[in-house]
Amino acid sequence: MAVVIRRVRAGDGPGRARLWQETGEFFAALDPHTAQEPSAHGLVDWHEEHFERFAADPSVLMLVAELDGEIVGTAVARVHEPLPTAGWQLQRDLGHRRVHVDALAVAGAARRSGVGSALMVAVEQWAVDRDAVVITLETGLDNPTSMPFYEQRMGYARHEVVFRKQLR
């Protein structure tokens, strides 16, 4: 059973919505204060509209992973160009083309089977092909699957911490 990585296409909305709901359920169980299971109402349409909005944008990559024709993973990444003000910025990365991974989701039944790795390798190759210097992404420090995945399997390093304070 080989994983197939391909670009998102029209009609992938139902599979991506199913995966998105499962991922939301997983994250909400980890941290119900900041994560939620997305509403099923309109979720397929939202995924289809997202595809239509960004499909022709060369700075956005939307991928799915399929096993036996079923969508079991997805990744979304985008290129960020160097800022014209980079010389006055404090972060060196802002002076370079960089890629940010907006989302990576893998169905629970397909985790630890190479799906996430295959998606990230495809994202990394896409970034290299676009002369990106660095890839960034965020994940929860308490996520028991993503922290070892990114650090131990994919070779990413912790760089920053995002602080959050609930006001209401």
Side-chain angles (χ1 to χ4, degrees), residues 5-6 22 26 36 53 61 121-122 134 137 139 145 162 167:
I5 305 298
R6 65 168 175 78
E22 180 186 333
F26 174 77
Q36 66 181 7
R53 181 174 177 198
L61 176 67
V121 166
V134 67
L137 56 88
T139 193
T145 58
V162 175
L167 298 176

Side-chain angles (χ1 to χ4, degrees), residues 61 77-79 97-101 120-135 156:
L61 176 67
R78 68 185 69 234
V79 172
R97 179 175 288 155
R98 57 213 182 279
V99 166
H100 185 80
V101 179
M120 286 303 296
V121 166
V123 168
E124 290 173 0
Q125 185 59 56
W126 181 78
V128 166
D129 292 347
R130 275 140 194 83
D131 296 322
V133 173
V134 67
I135 295 180
Y156 285 72

Side-chain angles (χ1 to χ4, degrees), residues 6-7 16 23 29 44 49 53 61 70 86 88 94 98 129 137 139-141 152:
R6 65 168 175 78
R7 289 187 178 259
R16 291 181 75 218
T23 302
V44 171
E49 289 166 7
R53 181 174 177 198
L61 176 67
E70 181 181 347
W88 301 296
L94 298 178
R98 57 213 182 279
D129 292 347
L137 56 88
T139 193
L141 285 171
Q152 296 165 16

Side-chain angles (χ1 to χ4, degrees), residues 76-123:
V76 178
R78 68 185 69 234
V79 172
H80 294 273
E81 296 296 337
L83 293 180
T85 61
W88 301 296
Q89 299 291 337
L90 299 176
Q91 294 180 352
R92 186 178 304 276
D93 285 350
L94 298 178
H96 302 287
R97 179 175 288 155
R98 57 213 182 279
V99 166
H100 185 80
V101 179
D102 294 336
L104 175 70
V106 176
R111 290 190 191 122
R112 301 185 196 279
S113 69
V115 170
S117 296
L119 283 164
M120 286 303 296
V121 166
V123 168

